Every structure is written in structure tokens, then in C-alpha cells.
């Protein structure tokens, strides 16, 4: 709604103005009234109206004087003069004072409505124009910010800067505080930013909040540029020396420490900082950036909430990791299904990194060896890795995005436990299938008097002792016990039919010795074969 004030020393005129038209319908709200120009100026200061309708002839400050003063202080406010004079010269004087129109007293409704509609349209157009200009400014700033980020990203990726005058202009436009001198790259990672349960909007807010804090701290040196990389990390490119301070060395480690403390104090979380070595020239920015990233990755081993310099990491590269001889032990424990030994071994492996503060490069080697152990065991046991984990195990991504070495340890313990369970299930299913095959084979061949454990095992291409153990464990009785039980069931059925002699029945169910058959039958049924035969 357009705010309007009514200014006239005559009460009835103001009443007439308020009741003459439907102000709300025309897009207006009456924001206040005043009886003279002096009060009107105070009212304008208070309510900041878009339109003032004011009598030209008032005490203290008349309408024309009000218009001159108001237009100087509030040039966007529109003024309509009320006058009892129909003289053109007087009206022209009012228009020269910045008045948009005038109304003759007594006010006619149609004339007032027309003026209000004209003023409404004029104010709307001006507001729209102003909004368009602001949007253009905003879009321009956003475009420059976007182009700056792209330019800095190109430097980080090692795309050689243009050495022509146009290239110098780009550097001056996007990174005016960078000089083609010694430059170092600082990468700031928010600890826990990749954790599940953090909404994307929260991540962006955190990033901007942290970048603002670091930007304010580094502002004192005025020799840096700050942006974001493609991994949602804050990147600061800083001159090692500040030429504006007599080539004094920039103590960016102290600056980072100060920023870290402020982040912890005001944002209630921590950040870890990786710092690359300083190099001469813009073309070496990408090298310092890679070093800063490598330094930051080492928070896996060193821990969060710290500043890690690549130079310190580089010094650790000469320290070897433990010999990679754990694969055989891990495979043996996997085959045995010994989860406690597996967990203990993994804990020992990862504790070595924490105790000796080894580098991420060493960690990469060990994780690769663990992955090879996993794939070897899965392959030899025909275990589909999609049953173990939904996604492929990507060591590079793990090192980039896991927050701590303990988190990686927990991940691998979980994978190994799943492997053991999958292997156990597979063995169980395999053993069940073997037992079922043996039972089917016996059910079909029980009449063969030469049938034995060794004969059955040979037919199944399984070691006899191994088969005996599997069958006993899964079926609850031995292979020979099952064979005898099968023969007795079939013998009983044949006797029940009553059309065979006992010695014939014995031969039909695989017994060459009728006496031994009768002994087995009595043990199975509780009565001798001859006595059972007589009852039939």
C-alpha cells in the first residue's frame, strides 16, 4: 500500500478528503494527519510517506515552503498541493517546487481519484525501476563473484594464467590483492561437515560463517584472496610478504590460530587448516594447493582442530609404516571366522598410525592392502561384494571425507564382520546342499550292498572324513546310520506288502547276510525280522 499524509489546518477539509474516495481500493493507506507545515515535516520524518497532500496556505510553514524543504530531504516523496487559487502562475510556482499536481478547493472526487491513480502509477513505475536497478547491481556483483571463483579455481587447478595485458587485467579485477610474488595456499575444512544429518543449507551457512571469520582476520594484512573449492572447503591464497608493510613476512599461522579460536568460540564447532608451502609466481599456486590438501587429509592421523603444515608432513615421509605382512593372518582369521582376532588385528594396525603419526600416504598403502585382503577372501569364497557393501570401497574418497582414523577403523571392522557372516552363511548353505545330495544319493542307491561312506564320498568328490563331519553336524546322525535307517524303512515297507521272502527282502535293501539284516531290523524296529514278518 502507498502511504499518504493529509496536511490542512481546516478539520472539515481533512474529513472531506478522507471520506471523498475509497483510499484502500485505490492502493493507499492514510498514515497520518497534520494541521501545519511544521508538524507535517515531523510527521514525514516519522512515517516516511510516499505521498503528501498539503494545503498551500497554512501558518508557520506554508505548502510551497514545505514542498521545497521536503523535496530536498525526501526527493522520492510525491506532493500534491491543495489550493483555493485557480491562478495558473501560482500553480506553476508549486510545480517548480517539486509538486506533482494540485487540487482546487473544494475538492471534486473525480479529480482527486484521477490524481491519485496517476500518482500511484508514477510511484509504482519508480519502485519497479529502482528494483530493476538493484537487481542489476546484485546480478552484477554475483556475476563478478562467480567469475572470481572460476578464476581462482583455474589457478588452483594449474591452468596457466594469461601473461598478456588481458591476463593482468583479470588478476587486477578478480584478485587485486595478489601479487606475482611468493604465494601460499591455505585450505580450511570444517570438522564434521560431511557427517550425515547435516542439511545442505546448514553446510552453506557454516561455510560462509567460517569464511567471514577468516576473511576478517586476514583483512588486517590486506594481501589475500578467499574463495571456495569444489570440495566445499575454504581456500585462502596469501602473499608470504606484505609489501604495504615494508615487505614484512605475513604470519598466517598466527592468523589461522586466531580464526580457529573465534570459530570455536562463536560457532561452537572446530575447523582444521592445511597449509601448503609458499612458491614464487601464480603458476605455482596449484602446487601449494595440492600440498595444503595433502596436509589437511592428515587430520585423519593427527586429529581435528589443528593447523597442519605440509612441510611438517613432508618431514614424516621418511618414516616407514609397519611391514605389510598382515594379509595372511587376516585371511586365516577370516577363514576361521575369528571376529575377535580380526578386530584386535585391525585395532593394532590403526593404532600404529596414531602412535607414530604416520602420513596419509602410508595410510593409503595400508588401506589398499586391507582392500586386497577383502577382495581376495570374497573371491576365493565366491562372495558377491554387493552383499557386503552397497557401494564400492573407494580409498581416495574415504581419505578425503572420513573425519578420523577411528571412523575408518570402524568402517573396516564392520566390513570384515559382514564378510565372516556371509562366509558362515555360505558354508551353511553349502553344507546343507551337500547333505541333501548325499541323502538323495542314498535314497536312490540303498539297495547296493557295496554302498559305503568312502563310496558315497568318492561319488560326491568330497573327502570322506570331511563329508562324515559335515553330515553328522547338519543331519544329526552319521552317513552309515542314515543308510541303515533308509534300508530299514524300505525293508519294513516290503514286509508290509507280504509278497517277498525275508532273504529276498534283505538282498533288495542291500544286505548279503540275512542274519545281519535281522539284527539291524530288530535294532531299528524293536522286534526281529522273522517275528515282524509272521505278524503280517
Amino acid at each position: 500500500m502507498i502511504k499518504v499524509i493529509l496536511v490542512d489546518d481546516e478539520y472539515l477539509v481533512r474529513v472531506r478528503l478522507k471520506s471523498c474516495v475509497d483510499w484502500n481500493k485505490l492502493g493507499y493507506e492514510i498514515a497520518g494527519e497534520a494541521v501545519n507545515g511544521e508538524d507535517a515535516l515531523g510527521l514525514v520524518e516519522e512515517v516516511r510517506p510516499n505521498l503528501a497532500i498539503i494545503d498551500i496556505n497554512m501558518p508557520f510553514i506554508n505548502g510551497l515552503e514545505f514542498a521545497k524543504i521536503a523535496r530536498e530531504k525526501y526527493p522520492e516523496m510525491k506532493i500534491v498541493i491543495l489550493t483555493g487559487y485557480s491562478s495558473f502562475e501560482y500553480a506553476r510556482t508549486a510545480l517548480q517546487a517539486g509538486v506533482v499536481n494540485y487540487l482546487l478547493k473544494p475538492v471534486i472526487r473525480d479529480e482527486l481519484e484521477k490524481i491519485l491513480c496517476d500518482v500511484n502509477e508514477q510511484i509504482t513505475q519508480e519502485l519497479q525501476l529502482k528494483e530493476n536497478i538493484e537487481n542489476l547491481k546484485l546480478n552484477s556483483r554475483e556475476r563478478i563473484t562467480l567469475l572470481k571463483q572460476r578464476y581462482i579455481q583455474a589457478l588452483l587447478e594449474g591452468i596457466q594464467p594469461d601473461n598478456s595485458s588481458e591476463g593482468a587485467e583479470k588478476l587486477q579485477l578478480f584478485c587485486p590483492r595478489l601479487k606475482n610474488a611468493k604465494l601460499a595456499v591455505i585450505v580450511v575444512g570444517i570438522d564434521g561437515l560431511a557427517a550425515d544429518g547435516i542439511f545442505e543449507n546448514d553446510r552453506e551457512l557454516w561455510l560462509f560463517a567460517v569464511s567471514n571469520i577468516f576473511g576478517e582476520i586476514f583483512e588486517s594484512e590486506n594481501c589475500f584472496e578467499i574463495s571456495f573449492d569444489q570440495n566445499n572447503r575454504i581456500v585462502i591464497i596469501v602473499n608470504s610478504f606484505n609489501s604495504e608493510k615494508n615487505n614484512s613476512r605475513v604470519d598466517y599461522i598466527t592468523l589461522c590460530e586466531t580464526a580457529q579460536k573465534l570459530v570455536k568460540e562463536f560457532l561452537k564447532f572446530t575447523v582444521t587448516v592445511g597449509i601448503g608451502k609458499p612458491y614464487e609466481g601464480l603458476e605455482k599456486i596449484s602446487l601449494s594447493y595440492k600440498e595444503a590438501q595433502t596436509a589437511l587429509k592428515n587430520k585423519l592421523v593427527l586429529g581435528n582442530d589443528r593447523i597442519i603444515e605440509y612441510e611438517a608432513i613432508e618431514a614424516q615421509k621418511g618414516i616407514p609404516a609397519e611391514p605389510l605382512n598382515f594379509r595372511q593372518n587376516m585371511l586365516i582369521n577370516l577363514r576361521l571366522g575369528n571376529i575377535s582376532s580380526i578386530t584386535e588385528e585391525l585395532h593394532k594396525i590403526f593404532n600404529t598410525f596414531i602412535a607414530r603419526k604416520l602420513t596419509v600416504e602410508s595410510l593409503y598403502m595400508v588401506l589398499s592392502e586391507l582392500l586386497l585382503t577383502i577382495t581376495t577372501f570374497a573371491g576365493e569364497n565366491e562372495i558377491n561384494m554387493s552383499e557386503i557393501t552397497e557401494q564400492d570401497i573407494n580409498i581416495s574418497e574415504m581419505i578425503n571425507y572420513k573425519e578420523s582414523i577411528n571412523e575408518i577403523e570402524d568402517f573396516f571392522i564392520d566390513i570384515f564382520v559382514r564378510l565372516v557372516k556371509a562366509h558362515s552363511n555360505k558354508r551353511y548353505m553349502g553344507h546343507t546342499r551337500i547333505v541333501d545330495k548325499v541323502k538323495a544319493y542314498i535314497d536312490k542307491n540303498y539297495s547296493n550292498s557295496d554302498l559305503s561312506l568312502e563310496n558315497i564320498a568318492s561319488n560326491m568328490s568330497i573327502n570322506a572324513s570331511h563329508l562324515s563331519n559335515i553330515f553328522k553336524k547338519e543331519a544329526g546322525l552319521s552317513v552309515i546310520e542314515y543308510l541303515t535307517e533308509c534300508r530299514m524303512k524300505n525293508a519294513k515297507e516290503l514286509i508290509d506288502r507280504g509278497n517277498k521272502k525275508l532273504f529276498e527282502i534283505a538282498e533288495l535293501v542291500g544286505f548279503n547276510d540275512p542274519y545281519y539284516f535281522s539284527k539291524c531290523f530288530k535294532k531299528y524296529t524293536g522286534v526281529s525280522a522273522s517275528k515282524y514278518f509272521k505278524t503280517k
Side-chain angles (χ1 to χ4, degrees):
M1 299 289 279
I2 296 172
K3 291 194 289 187
V4 59
I5 62 170
L6 306 176
V7 186
D8 197 300
D9 58 343
E10 295 184 35
Y11 172 75
L12 292 177
V13 172
R14 299 199 307 275
V15 171
R16 167 66 180 164
L17 284 171
K18 287 190 287 184
S19 61
C20 187
V21 296
D22 188 341
W23 291 88
N24 288 339
K25 187 177 180 180
L26 294 172
Y28 289 86
E29 63 169 324
I30 297 175
E33 301 177 39
V35 297
N36 58 61
E38 187 175 14
D39 291 346
L41 288 173
L43 186 61
V44 170
E45 177 70 28
E46 181 184 345
V47 302
R48 299 296 175 90
N50 306 101
L51 170 64
I53 299 177
I54 184 166
D55 185 18
I56 201 168
N57 187 22
M58 289 187 303
F60 304 116
I61 297 176
N62 65 32
L64 291 180
E65 291 171 336
F66 168 87
K68 290 177 183 177
I69 296 170
R71 287 289 292 174
E72 286 179 7
K73 292 185 70 175
Y74 312 103
E76 294 179 352
M77 186 178 71
K78 309 303 177 190
I79 300 172
V80 171
I81 288 291
L82 289 172
T83 179
Y85 303 96
S86 58
S87 160
F88 175 74
E89 287 300 322
Y90 205 83
R92 186 170 65 180
T93 303
L95 293 172
Q96 289 174 345
V99 174
V100 295
N101 215 325
Y102 67 95
L103 282 166
L104 293 176
K105 291 181 179 181
V107 174
I108 299 172
R109 186 180 72 176
D110 291 347
E111 291 181 358
L112 177 58
E113 278 190 354
K114 183 179 183 311
I115 287 175
L116 290 175
C117 289
D118 291 344
V119 170
N120 187 327
E121 184 178 352
Q122 186 178 352
I123 290 173
T124 301
Q125 288 177 351
E126 288 179 0
L127 289 174
Q128 185 63 54
L129 179 61
K130 184 178 179 181
E131 183 180 347
N132 290 342
I133 291 171
E134 288 300 319
N135 285 337
L136 285 172
K137 287 179 180 178
L138 180 62
N139 290 337
S140 178
R141 286 194 296 270
E142 288 178 348
R143 179 172 170 76
I144 290 173
T145 300
L146 179 61
L147 291 173
K148 175 181 177 178
Q149 285 184 350
R150 287 178 179 173
Y151 179 77
I152 290 178
Q153 187 61 40
L155 292 177
L156 297 177
E157 291 174 0
I159 299 174
Q160 294 298 317
D162 191 349
N163 292 320
S164 65
S165 58
E166 184 180 351
E169 288 176 5
K170 284 184 179 179
L171 178 64
Q172 184 60 32
L173 174 62
F174 299 126
C175 302
R177 291 183 285 199
L178 291 187
K179 309 300 177 186
N180 202 0
K182 274 200 167 185
L183 298 162
V185 177
I186 299 167
V187 179
V188 183
I190 298 176
D191 299 330
L193 189 64
D196 293 335
I198 299 174
F199 296 109
E200 193 60 36
N201 288 343
D202 292 335
R203 288 187 174 97
E204 291 183 6
L205 286 173
W206 287 8
L207 279 169
F208 281 110
V210 173
S211 67
N212 285 338
I213 289 174
F214 273 81
E216 287 178 12
I217 297 301
F218 275 80
E219 191 67 43
S220 61
E221 293 294 336
N222 195 36
C223 58
F224 77 102
E225 293 293 344
I226 190 167
S227 185
F228 302 94
D229 69 5
Q230 294 177 333
N231 296 318
N232 280 334
R233 288 165 180 159
I234 298 154
V235 176
I236 305 168
I237 306 174
V238 60
N239 289 321
S240 292
F241 293 89
N242 191 337
S243 58
E244 294 181 4
K245 294 184 178 180
N246 299 319
N247 286 323
S248 62
R249 181 180 286 276
V250 177
D251 187 3
Y252 40 76
I253 293 177
T254 299
L255 294 175
C256 288
E257 287 174 346
T258 303
Q260 269 187 321
K261 290 176 183 175
L262 290 174
V263 168
K264 190 184 292 187
E265 181 180 352
F266 292 107
L267 302 181
K268 307 304 180 186
F269 56 77
T270 63
V271 295
T272 301
V273 179
I275 301 178
K277 294 191 293 187
Y279 292 97
E280 196 85 28
L282 294 173
E283 68 279 1
K284 294 289 185 69
I285 285 176
S286 61
L287 177 56
S288 185
Y289 172 58
K290 288 176 183 176
E291 291 175 349
Q293 285 184 302
T294 299
L296 188 61
K297 288 176 186 177
N298 277 272
K299 75 175 185 177
L300 278 172
V301 178
L302 301 175
N304 294 338
D305 189 24
R306 63 184 64 235
I307 294 170
I308 307 171
E309 294 182 82
Y310 180 76
E311 285 181 320
I313 299 302
E314 201 173 30
Q316 289 289 107
K317 282 187 176 179
I319 303 175
E322 290 291 312
L324 302 180
N325 58 0
F326 56 77
R327 194 196 315 170
Q328 276 306 116
N329 286 339
M330 294 295 283
L331 284 171
I332 291 170
N333 285 322
L334 281 167
R335 290 165 188 149
L336 293 173
N338 197 333
I339 292 176
S340 61
S341 294
I342 290 169
T343 303
E344 185 179 334
E345 183 74 19
L346 287 171
H347 190 60
K348 178 183 173 184
I349 291 167
F350 287 107
N351 261 5
T352 300
F353 283 88
I354 298 171
R356 300 179 64 189
K357 297 183 178 179
L358 298 174
T359 63
V360 164
E361 284 79 2
S362 299
L363 179 62
Y364 191 97
M365 292 172 59
V366 170
L367 296 187
S368 299
E369 187 70 13
L370 285 174
L371 181 56
L372 183 58
T373 304
I374 289 168
T375 54
T376 299
F377 183 76
E380 72 181 21
N381 291 283
E382 298 181 350
I383 296 172
N384 191 338
M385 282 302 294
S386 63
E387 300 173 11
I388 306 301
T389 176
E390 293 179 359
Q391 297 178 332
D392 293 339
I393 301 173
N394 188 316
I395 293 172
S396 296
E397 285 189 7
M398 188 178 297
I399 289 175
N400 281 333
Y401 297 109
K402 292 294 183 184
E403 287 296 318
S404 69
I405 200 156
N406 291 329
E407 196 175 333
I408 294 178
E409 179 183 341
D410 291 342
F411 173 83
F412 275 98
I413 287 174
D414 180 59
I415 293 295
F416 275 92
V417 168
R418 291 186 185 190
L419 267 179
V420 169
K421 290 181 178 178
H423 181 235
S424 177
N425 291 337
K426 200 169 187 68
R427 283 178 61 191
Y428 173 75
M429 294 302 294
H431 291 172
T432 301
R433 284 197 295 270
I434 289 171
V435 169
D436 288 344
K437 285 176 68 177
V438 169
K439 286 181 176 179
Y441 185 80
I442 290 173
D443 291 345
K444 185 178 180 181
N445 297 281
Y446 67 89
S447 61
N448 182 359
S449 59
D450 294 327
L451 199 60
S452 65
L453 172 63
E454 287 72 18
N455 180 278
I456 295 168
S458 176
N459 188 271
M460 298 281 131
S461 300
I462 302 174
N463 177 271
S465 177
H466 182 55
L467 174 60
S468 178
N469 290 333
I470 291 173
F471 198 94
K472 180 76 173 177
K473 184 177 180 180
E474 297 296 325
L477 70 167
S478 70
V479 173
I480 298 304
E481 285 172 341
Y482 181 81
L483 172 61
T484 303
E485 187 177 284
C486 180
R487 285 170 169 171
M488 293 303 102
K489 282 182 180 178
N490 283 278
K492 189 172 178 294
E493 287 180 7
L494 289 170
I495 293 173
D496 289 342
R497 290 175 194 165
N499 57 359
K500 298 285 182 184
K501 295 179 180 180
L502 278 178
F503 74 90
E504 292 176 329
I505 292 172
E507 288 180 359
L508 286 172
V509 296
F511 284 89
N512 292 327
D513 185 352
Y515 175 75
Y516 182 62
F517 164 72
S518 181
K519 185 178 178 182
C520 291
F521 190 89
K522 185 176 182 179
K523 184 178 180 182
Y524 178 73
T525 62
V527 295
S528 66
S530 58
K531 189 173 183 180
Y532 186 81
F533 187 82
K534 288 178 181 178
T535 61
K536 301 299 175 185

